Amino acid sequence: MTIKKTYQQLFLIAAVVFSFQQALLAQKPLKPAPLLPLFVEKGALSYTPDSLGNRIPDFSYCGYKASEQAIPNVDIKVVVPVTKGDATLRIQSALDYVASLPVDANGFRGAVLLQKGSYEVLGQLRITASGVVLRGSGTNTNGTTIIGAGTGRLALIKIIGQKSGQQIGSSVLKITNAYVPVNATTFNVDVDLSNRDIVNTIIIHRPSTKNWIATLGTDIFGGGISALGWKPGDRDLFFDRTITKIEGNKITIDAPLTTALDTAYGGASVYFYNDNGRIKNCGIENIKLISVYDKNNLKDEDHRWNAINVENAEDAWVRQVSFENFAGSAVSVLETSKRVTVEDCKSLHPVSEIGGQRRYTFLTTGQQTLFQRCYAEDGYHDFATGYCVPGPNAFVQCESHLPNSFSGGIDSWSSGILFDVVNVDGNALRFGNRGQDANGAGWATANSVFWNCTAARIDCYKPPTAQNWSFGSWAQFSGDGYWGESNNTINPRSLFYGQLAARLNKKTDDLAQFLFIPGEASSSPSVEVATELTKIAAKPRMQMPEWIDLAYQRNPITTNAVGVKTIDQVGIKKITAPAMAAAMQIKNGWLVRGDEILAGARNIVPWWNGGVQGNDLVTAKPHITRFVPGRTGNGLTDDLDEVANEMKTKHIVAMEHNYGLWYDLRRDDHERIRRMDGEVWPPFYELPFARSGKELAWDGLSKYDLTKYNLFYWSRLKQFADLADQKGLVLVHQNYFQHNIIEAGAHYVDFPWRTANNINNTGFPEPPPFAGDKRIFLAEQFYDITNPVRKELHKKFIRQCLNNFKDNNGVIQFIGEEFTGPLHFVKFWLDVVKDWEKETGKHPIIGLCVTKDVQDSILSNPAYATVVDIIDIRYWHYQADGTAYEPKGGLNLAPRQHARLLKPKKTSFEQVYRAVKEYREKYPTKAVSYSGDSYPEFGIAAFMAGGSLAVLSADINPEIVKAAVGMKPVASSNKNEYVLSDGKRSIVYNVDTRKFEIQ
């Protein structure tokens, strides 16, 4: 018989051959494959297209080199022998050495080999150049183990290039097609690109318009409240593609689109970008990664969060790696990465709370990611795609054992996901609408496929403007998506490898490496077959974890390093200690570093709000202890080096920090209800106290232990304090945050000190005494130190605030943000400080930042006044008419509540000068700062009165700030002039001309 070699016939032959091979292995007759409306066109196995041309995406473009090449065995260039102690520097030196080598013809520099044994890593390992591979000597007990030691939440290993994606030029091309369907690889633009010298890397930008959002029904999720609803521009899609062909106005790209481009919903545009920062041809392989943790707390989170992050990378891989004890992801592929393969990996025994952002074991927010033969136990979202992931992405032959939540699309509009022979044992696979969950995720999945999958439940819903499909699924079912052959099995066994075989026009059995399932599925076997199957049943078949363990046989990775130099022979890089700025001290009543007065703007951390996508990140302010797992940058987990450098650049001298109003972004709704689960939303405003791992607090995570401290929180503050001492900055550390115990009841419900939220029997009333079932007035009880339990907890906490910075000089300790509390608690705070100073011999810089009556009372008492170094004017001010606005302390009202009652008037230049000068003259050995009404506007007034930390312009003559150190404010005969003088020289500021002179 003559066979016409069309793509369709090639696929059918491949499917039959595959099934026949399986049958031969089982020594059973071939079972005919069920027929479905599938066909092959242009290399893509596709469901019959709809009237607009949409079809099942071709997922075979996922993975390293778009799965067109096998992952190579890269030559070993350096060996790192096992030694005792922290191996971070030794391994990093080896990675950096290989990074310095030339790239060969295949794009590789070489591999770093770790020997058999254990390597303790206290820091983070980073692959930052193309062509570098980190390789161990096996994942078994006799192989290589990297132990992520310490209590930091750093990812253990990062493949990370430089940020790319910067648009080249200002040209944005409009796509002119009225409709570009799902799986398309061609479209037209409004410019003829013939004979143009252009780069071939492009971003296809599909906007999220008001019309589209309304069609999806994601503008309001319920309650008539739109706060969590999608907003135009919030869910834009950005397809990262390479042009493979240009024909005039027609562009052909290297991978299909997974969401249609429709002019009815804003169409789409194209711009060219530079990807020079993205690194390529990097891998991590043949190794076991383990995180240490507190074995007394199986919900401990003060340890490694992610094992491997892949960021700003392309054509990278993670293979034959096992993971144990991590809190977050085994592998997280970030949105700046594409064409990544993660294969033959196992994640065991995760250690964390059970809730949001934990145990997202194999996660991608990137494009063209392939996870295959991956196994996870006791995870959360084990196989997941994140926010607005434009796909395609594929999970092939993966298994999740007893997870705590579902796998699937977990955030907004992830399109083009394939779950191919995936088994979720004990939980769900979901393509659907998450509604308000995950901070208004809404429709999480579109144009995605379940293929021969099993789960406790499979949800497959059809979103407006798109489709989702399920073929050969075994589960309980829900949804109005396309269902084909449910509770049956469909051939080919793998859609991904069927599509790949068709696209490449060759067999892909050597790549698929499917775990063989022996036996006969017939409901009417012969006696002989039944007898044989009975014998087989006595010897259970191989399971996925064992199949992954045997990957070293199927895909051997060389560890032969004969003749290769060790890192000791090559040389370990030297680390030099950073230079330090002059110590911060009070000199002549000024706060100085060296001979320069500290002046400039201030950063004040946000209390509670934010987001982790889109415009929320653009407008975000820095926060030292904000945490977003696996993500670093503005509005996420801030890079503190970048924050400190930016402060220097922008002439911002101080960072004022207080702990967050609540940990979980869900509480932004200001509700007072107990949460039904721990599905917390980032960003997380970490709190000073450690979770106990016991019982459940009102946010659904475990209760706090007020006698133990959140090591992430305190280590971040310590890191910033160290940077401040290096760069000449200031950390203003607010010990407490009064907002939790006053005003809205929502401020209190998740507060760690609340009796229901800790294991320490704090004794506050339960249920809380919400006034009018809305407000909270608990300041008096919180500041009550007659309660012995609370008194000891306060004392321990204040000492922690001091201990954390005992070796820093650039920290100012204030009692608390928004503090309008009673005199007795300020005295208690200062008593604890005095005792600590006496015990340690250390002298922290203590600032008195309270209401005026409390301030004056403390300063009039020498026993307490001697502890105070800085007087900060914040909760009172002189009004422009010369009268004082001065709420009294301890009246159980917040500053803005006082303001509503007393209706303060604005201050003036003269009155700010007056306030600062009065205290400066009365207490000449203490520094004075002004942080009250309109303080940025009146920085010069505060400075000319002798005030420190004044907000001065960056372009002020630096000689003025230096000269002022030896001066003090003096009276001037000219009412329009203000003078600082040392008796020999003077600094004169004229309010009319707004100019300084040195006389």
Side-chain angles (χ1 to χ4, degrees), residues 366-378:
Q367 305 180 35
Q368 296 175 257
T369 315
L370 171 62
F371 293 91
Q372 61 178 347
R373 299 185 301 277
C374 292
Y375 175 83
E377 289 183 356
D378 198 26

mmCIF file of all heavy atoms in Angstrom, residues 366-378:
data_model
loop_
_atom_site.group_PDB
_atom_site.id
_atom_site.type_symbol
_atom_site.label_atom_id
_atom_site.label_comp_id
_atom_site.label_asym_id
_atom_site.label_seq_id
_atom_site.Cartn_x
_atom_site.Cartn_y
_atom_site.Cartn_z
ATOM 1 N N GLY A 366 6.791 32.376 33.165
ATOM 2 C CA GLY A 366 7.493 32.612 31.921
ATOM 3 C C GLY A 366 6.756 32.013 30.731
ATOM 4 O O GLY A 366 5.595 31.609 30.825
ATOM 5 N N GLN A 367 7.456 31.933 29.612
ATOM 6 C CA GLN A 367 6.861 31.444 28.367
ATOM 7 C C GLN A 367 7.673 30.266 27.833
ATOM 8 O O GLN A 367 8.878 30.210 28.000
ATOM 9 C CB GLN A 367 6.815 32.564 27.328
ATOM 10 C CG GLN A 367 6.110 33.800 27.817
ATOM 11 C CD GLN A 367 6.054 34.913 26.794
ATOM 12 O OE1 GLN A 367 5.929 34.693 25.600
ATOM 13 N NE2 GLN A 367 6.136 36.155 27.273
ATOM 14 N N GLN A 368 6.960 29.341 27.215
ATOM 15 C CA GLN A 368 7.566 28.165 26.588
ATOM 16 C C GLN A 368 8.370 27.346 27.600
ATOM 17 O O GLN A 368 9.472 26.880 27.334
ATOM 18 C CB GLN A 368 8.445 28.579 25.406
ATOM 19 C CG GLN A 368 7.662 29.228 24.263
ATOM 20 C CD GLN A 368 8.564 29.738 23.163
ATOM 21 O OE1 GLN A 368 8.807 30.937 23.073
ATOM 22 N NE2 GLN A 368 9.067 28.832 22.327
ATOM 23 N N THR A 369 7.791 27.175 28.785
ATOM 24 C CA THR A 369 8.402 26.347 29.819
ATOM 25 C C THR A 369 7.870 24.929 29.718
ATOM 26 O O THR A 369 6.666 24.716 29.550
ATOM 27 C CB THR A 369 8.086 26.899 31.217
ATOM 28 O OG1 THR A 369 8.266 28.313 31.233
ATOM 29 C CG2 THR A 369 8.972 26.269 32.263
ATOM 30 N N LEU A 370 8.757 23.963 29.846
ATOM 31 C CA LEU A 370 8.379 22.548 29.838
ATOM 32 C C LEU A 370 8.798 21.905 31.153
ATOM 33 O O LEU A 370 9.984 21.860 31.486
ATOM 34 C CB LEU A 370 9.059 21.826 28.673
ATOM 35 C CG LEU A 370 8.935 20.287 28.665
ATOM 36 C CD1 LEU A 370 7.475 19.852 28.554
ATOM 37 C CD2 LEU A 370 9.768 19.682 27.546
ATOM 38 N N PHE A 371 7.811 21.440 31.918
ATOM 39 C CA PHE A 371 8.065 20.602 33.088
ATOM 40 C C PHE A 371 7.695 19.184 32.710
ATOM 41 O O PHE A 371 6.538 18.916 32.340
ATOM 42 C CB PHE A 371 7.200 21.037 34.277
ATOM 43 C CG PHE A 371 7.536 22.396 34.832
ATOM 44 C CD1 PHE A 371 6.905 23.539 34.352
ATOM 45 C CD2 PHE A 371 8.462 22.540 35.849
ATOM 46 C CE1 PHE A 371 7.187 24.792 34.865
ATOM 47 C CE2 PHE A 371 8.761 23.800 36.380
ATOM 48 C CZ PHE A 371 8.123 24.927 35.883
ATOM 49 N N GLN A 372 8.629 18.274 32.784
ATOM 50 C CA GLN A 372 8.291 16.888 32.454
ATOM 51 C C GLN A 372 8.960 15.928 33.435
ATOM 52 O O GLN A 372 10.068 16.153 33.913
ATOM 53 C CB GLN A 372 8.684 16.553 31.027
ATOM 54 C CG GLN A 372 10.154 16.655 30.674
ATOM 55 C CD GLN A 372 10.409 16.241 29.240
ATOM 56 O OE1 GLN A 372 9.554 15.663 28.567
ATOM 57 N NE2 GLN A 372 11.604 16.523 28.739
ATOM 58 N N ARG A 373 8.203 14.868 33.725
ATOM 59 C CA ARG A 373 8.633 13.862 34.691
ATOM 60 C C ARG A 373 9.054 14.536 35.999
ATOM 61 O O ARG A 373 10.170 14.378 36.485
ATOM 62 C CB ARG A 373 9.769 13.007 34.116
ATOM 63 C CG ARG A 373 9.380 12.250 32.856
ATOM 64 C CD ARG A 373 10.467 11.319 32.357
ATOM 65 N NE ARG A 373 11.706 12.019 32.046
ATOM 66 C CZ ARG A 373 11.959 12.641 30.898
ATOM 67 N NH1 ARG A 373 11.045 12.647 29.939
ATOM 68 N NH2 ARG A 373 13.108 13.238 30.709
ATOM 69 N N CYS A 374 8.129 15.289 36.562
ATOM 70 C CA CYS A 374 8.344 15.956 37.846
ATOM 71 C C CYS A 374 7.348 15.418 38.864
ATOM 72 O O CYS A 374 6.192 15.144 38.533
ATOM 73 C CB CYS A 374 8.206 17.475 37.711
ATOM 74 S SG CYS A 374 9.510 18.240 36.723
ATOM 75 N N TYR A 375 7.793 15.304 40.104
ATOM 76 C CA TYR A 375 6.991 14.698 41.170
ATOM 77 C C TYR A 375 7.050 15.604 42.394
ATOM 78 O O TYR A 375 8.100 16.150 42.737
ATOM 79 C CB TYR A 375 7.543 13.318 41.508
ATOM 80 C CG TYR A 375 6.874 12.640 42.678
ATOM 81 C CD1 TYR A 375 5.671 11.941 42.520
ATOM 82 C CD2 TYR A 375 7.449 12.677 43.952
ATOM 83 C CE1 TYR A 375 5.059 11.301 43.595
ATOM 84 C CE2 TYR A 375 6.847 12.046 45.033
ATOM 85 C CZ TYR A 375 5.652 11.368 44.842
ATOM 86 O OH TYR A 375 5.045 10.743 45.905
ATOM 87 N N ALA A 376 5.901 15.749 43.072
ATOM 88 C CA ALA A 376 5.835 16.592 44.268
ATOM 89 C C ALA A 376 4.965 15.934 45.317
ATOM 90 O O ALA A 376 3.938 15.328 44.999
ATOM 91 C CB ALA A 376 5.281 17.965 43.913
ATOM 92 N N GLU A 377 5.351 16.074 46.560
ATOM 93 C CA GLU A 377 4.568 15.571 47.686
ATOM 94 C C GLU A 377 4.202 16.708 48.627
ATOM 95 O O GLU A 377 5.023 17.596 48.890
ATOM 96 C CB GLU A 377 5.369 14.521 48.477
ATOM 97 C CG GLU A 377 5.563 13.210 47.759
ATOM 98 C CD GLU A 377 6.290 12.176 48.620
ATOM 99 O OE1 GLU A 377 6.702 12.522 49.754
ATOM 100 O OE2 GLU A 377 6.450 11.037 48.155
ATOM 101 N N ASP A 378 2.947 16.654 49.117
ATOM 102 C CA ASP A 378 2.497 17.545 50.185
ATOM 103 C C ASP A 378 2.693 19.016 49.836
ATOM 104 O O ASP A 378 2.998 19.837 50.689
ATOM 105 C CB ASP A 378 3.234 17.205 51.488
ATOM 106 C CG ASP A 378 2.521 17.775 52.713
ATOM 107 O OD1 ASP A 378 1.299 17.976 52.634
ATOM 108 O OD2 ASP A 378 3.198 18.029 53.727
#
